[in-house]
Amino acid sequence: MSKQVEEEIQKVDTTKYVYIILTRTHTKFAGLIRKMMRKKYNHASISFTEDLKDVYTMGRYRHTTPIMAGPIKEYSDRLCLKQKVNVPCVIYKVPVSESQYDIGLRMVNGIMGDRDKYLYNLYSVLAYPVLHGFSTPKAYSCSEFVAHILRSMHVDIGSRRLSCYTPWHLHEELKEYVFYEGDIIPLMAESNRDNIDYFSTVGFFTVTGGSMSVLWKLIYRVFAKGIVRK
């Protein structure tokens, strides 16, 4: 087979793109993460279309319930908290084959369709300065979630443990694919909203009970399996 034919086949095989988005969000928890990591961006998400119609990540379900978190869809109001502020971001346009694209999209849809079983990997994030991340069954940080999807798609993002990834690690692995850097809010004007209203209010007892339940579930998952470094 000639080199020219091989190049043409390669062009046909890589007709799809996934978009990895790193953002600087405005919550207090996000500020804590940036302070710990000493980096500009604290949040990672993924989209399968350039218009960012559907952007997926791990995050809190509502603004007032930071512990009650899991798989969500991002949209502009969530990121700017309905304020007239810029939300700095960098977007990476990563080429993949159609089969890789399909694997990633099916995986994200499967997680979103079963979202009640997934949790935010809170203890791993809080202990990161000491333990540098640990795996918890069916629990991810935002960066771990994106890394998990990319690695399942066989995208080369290095050999770190999934639980070790931070937004900056993703940047280091994907920086050759930088597509856009600037304010993300104008790009997300038409993004589909999550079916959980981020700004809805929740009663004190619901928040307290729900938060305690999440914390105990995480403890059980960590100690039932043991702290896994992978």
Side-chain angles (χ1 to χ4, degrees), residues 39-62:
K39 301 298 181 183
K40 180 178 180 180
Y41 301 109
N42 60 273
H43 189 56
S45 49
I46 185 170
S47 179
F48 291 83
T49 58
E50 187 173 322
D51 60 8
L52 307 183
K53 276 289 186 181
D54 294 292
V55 178
Y56 304 95
T57 188
M58 297 290 289
R60 64 181 75 185
Y61 291 128
R62 296 175 178 84

Side-chain angles (χ1 to χ4, degrees), residues 29 50-51 164-165 175 212 224:
F29 185 68
E50 187 173 322
D51 60 8
C164 176
Y165 279 90
K175 56 188 176 184
M212 291 299 296

Side-chain angles (χ1 to χ4, degrees), residues 107 116 137 215:
M107 177 170 288
D116 290 343
L215 294 174

Side-chain angles (χ1 to χ4, degrees), residues 18 20 40 46 66 82-83 132 135 146 159 176 180 225:
V18 292
I20 309 307
K40 180 178 180 180
I46 185 170
K82 289 187 175 181
Q83 300 175 24
H132 298 289
S135 176
V146 171
S159 58
E176 65 181 295
Y180 170 84
K225 299 292 183 179

Side-chain angles (χ1 to χ4, degrees), residues 25-230:
T25 51
H26 294 283
T27 63
K28 292 180 180 179
F29 185 68
L32 174 64
I33 297 300
R34 287 197 301 274
K35 186 175 182 179
M36 287 194 302
M37 303 302 176
R38 298 180 180 179
K39 301 298 181 183
K40 180 178 180 180
Y41 301 109
N42 60 273
H43 189 56
S45 49
I46 185 170
S47 179
F48 291 83
T49 58
E50 187 173 322
D51 60 8
L52 307 183
K53 276 289 186 181
D54 294 292
V55 178
Y56 304 95
T57 188
M58 297 290 289
R60 64 181 75 185
Y61 291 128
R62 296 175 178 84
H63 184 58
T64 56
T65 60
I67 295 175
M68 297 163 63
I72 60 164
K73 281 186 180 182
E74 294 280 23
Y75 55 94
S76 59
D77 281 353
R78 278 186 62 103
L79 289 171
C80 70
L81 303 179
K82 289 187 175 181
Q83 300 175 24
K84 291 183 178 180
V85 295
N86 292 340
V87 177
C89 83
V90 57
I91 301 176
Y92 310 83
K93 184 176 182 179
V94 183
V96 295
S97 68
E98 290 191 27
S99 60
Q100 288 175 299
Y101 184 93
D102 290 342
I103 288 169
L105 191 56
R106 284 199 304 269
M107 177 170 288
V108 168
N109 286 333
I111 291 173
M112 292 298 295
D114 208 16
R115 73 195 306 176
D116 290 343
K117 295 183 179 179
Y118 289 87
L119 302 172
Y120 186 83
N121 200 6
L122 179 64
Y123 293 138
S124 174
V125 171
L126 293 177
Y128 191 90
V130 176
L131 299 178
H132 298 289
F134 57 84
S135 176
T136 304
K138 288 196 172 183
Y140 304 103
S141 68
C142 59
S143 302
E144 191 178 356
F145 171 79
V146 171
H148 174 58
I149 300 300
L150 290 175
R151 187 163 287 171
S152 298
M153 296 168 65
H154 306 292
V155 174
D156 184 11
I157 54 168
S159 58
R160 293 179 180 85
R161 304 187 312 269
L162 288 177
S163 55
C164 176
Y165 279 90
T166 66
W168 189 253
H169 291 132
L170 291 172
H171 167 75
E172 286 296 305
E173 299 297 342
L174 301 175
K175 56 188 176 184
E176 65 181 295
Y177 302 116
V178 169
F179 175 62
Y180 170 84
E181 191 162 8
D183 183 12
I184 196 173
I185 299 304
L187 305 184
M188 297 190 70
E190 303 299 325
S191 296
N192 291 321
R193 295 175 176 245
D194 196 87
N195 58 14
I196 298 176
D197 183 3
Y198 181 67
F199 296 98
S200 62
T201 57
V202 183
F204 172 79
F205 293 106
T206 300
V207 173
T208 303
S211 298
M212 291 299 296
S213 175
V214 167
L215 294 174
W216 279 112
K217 284 179 181 177
L218 285 170
I219 289 174
Y220 174 78
R221 293 185 188 187
V222 169
F223 287 98
K225 299 292 183 179
I227 291 180
V228 180
R229 298 288 184 84
K230 69 177 184 179

